[in-house]
Amino acid sequence: MRGFLASSIGVATAAALALPLALSTPAAAAPALGAAAPTAPVAPAGSTQSLPLAPLGPAADRSPGVPGMSTSPRLPETQGLPQREVKRFSLVGVVWDDASTQLFGRVQVRTRAVGTGSWSDWQDIETRNSEHAPDLGTTESGSGRVRGSTAPLWVGDSDGVEVRVQAEPGTPATRGATRAANRLPSGMRIELVDPGAADPVTVIDAKNGASGTSDEPEGDDKGDIVSLPGMTMEAAESSNANVPLAALGAKEIAALNKADSTADAVLASEGTLSAAARPYIGPRPRIVTRLGWGADESLREPGFVYTSTVKAAFVHHTASGNNYACKDAPAVLRGLYRYHVVSSGWRDIGYNFAVDKCGTVYEGRAGGVAKAVLGAHTMGFNTDSMGIAVIGTYTTTTPPAAAVKAVAQLTAWKLGLFNRDPRAKTTLKSGGGNLFAKGTNVKLNVISGHRDGFATECPGKLLYGQLPPTRTTSAKLQGRP
């Protein structure tokens, strides 16, 4: 893998220097007459409760032929957590100690809704999640913090939980190793994630429109920062990665038509954008930044890791369920982010982008939306690719047309920056997985589903079926013949 860690010192220093300059003029520092005083951005007050699971039923771990030991067949191991009241949370998942160990079994939860006090029916959590992970042998996977994990499930505002996990009969739990059948991974815990609330940031962004106040001061077309009181260095680092596409502190990156997208991309590339790519950059969709969806930048590791280029886009579903309203999507993202980092042990959220059911596009892993940021979304093929996750589960549910359209728009723009034809094939080298051995050169669609690179259900049968027309639409948006 060709990747490198971008030092946070340069961008953090630039952000630190930018603040005094922006606030040096009293007229610029003061809010408009009659406007509310700027509110200092405070890190979202999210939390994670990590509760150990315990045996719920007999495991019959006894050897036949030994005096005093049962000769009955071994029963599948069952662990869980009896019904209990807990602090408020909205997203759940199960983790365990060894990331190389798979959970072969069934995970179910019941939750109690805040307000009504009613308990849900039992809900299944997707257990096959190891393929959403950093590539084997990378710094991220070898950090010592990565754990095995199920997919997360969004359950909404809850204050009670009950959990049961039962191993599949007659299946080994460890991939490529011999282990007693019917056993569950060691160190299993239920993670109860409160995504917290996003705090407002008062910022004037002339390029993307005003956010927080109605009167814009005079300034150039890149926007003038009126005030960013209390902005952390981590937040400045993340936001600075999107300059000049948006001003420091922008909550969103504005949509642009095809011509303006091309001009903006040429400016942002500082002369590195190839002439061949310029005719085929699609219109840039509106993108909600990490600041816009309320990412707590203190959770992730500092700095960014990049790969050489973007040759392919892998489409995913989050498998977190469809029980969310579009207005709740930022909270779902904060929950996914916290689960990936705090519970699963990754350096940041795994996906490069997320799309909600209403078609809103969100910035994922930090490092700049126009750059080749190394993600943790398709084990074995994270290098030279990007991951787009549609929030929801689309195995038996049809993905909304707005979400599918947004995937086409996003790929038309981002793949266009790297001169990739969405209808074409490309070759990626496998970093190791359950379909392709490490080092194998694999020909894939430029827009692929997760299951094309790894044996998995993701992105769900019905979303996967939308990829052929998505490729056509994406290429048309690029203006390809």
Side-chain angles (χ1 to χ4, degrees), residues 41 44 197-201 203 211 231 235 238-239 242 247 249-253 286-297 327 329-331 333-334 360-364:
D199 294 292
V201 176
V203 129
S211 175
M231 190 176 196
S238 178
S239 183
N242 286 317
K251 289 187 176 182
E252 65 177 58
I253 299 170
R286 170 180 172 263
I287 303 172
V288 177
T289 66
R290 290 169 64 91
L291 185 62
W293 57 262
D296 180 351
E297 298 292 354
K327 66 180 178 60
L333 266 181
R334 293 195 300 275
T360 300
V361 178
Y362 301 86
E363 178 184 14

Side-chain angles (χ1 to χ4, degrees), residues 332-345:
V332 177
L333 266 181
R334 293 195 300 275
L336 292 170
Y337 170 46
R338 179 173 279 273
Y339 185 73
H340 283 182
V341 177
V342 176
S343 301
S344 302

Side-chain angles (χ1 to χ4, degrees), residues 260-275:
D260 287 343
S261 292
T262 302
D264 211 51
V266 171
L267 173 67
S269 72
E270 298 179 345
T272 62
L273 187 70
S274 71

Side-chain angles (χ1 to χ4, degrees), residues 82 103 109 111 192 195 312 332 391 397 422:
L103 194 167
V109 297
T111 56
L192 307 176
V332 177
I391 301 173
T397 299

Side-chain angles (χ1 to χ4, degrees), residues 75 166 182 237 314:
L75 300 176
Q166 185 174 60
N182 314 311
E237 176 191 47
F314 285 98

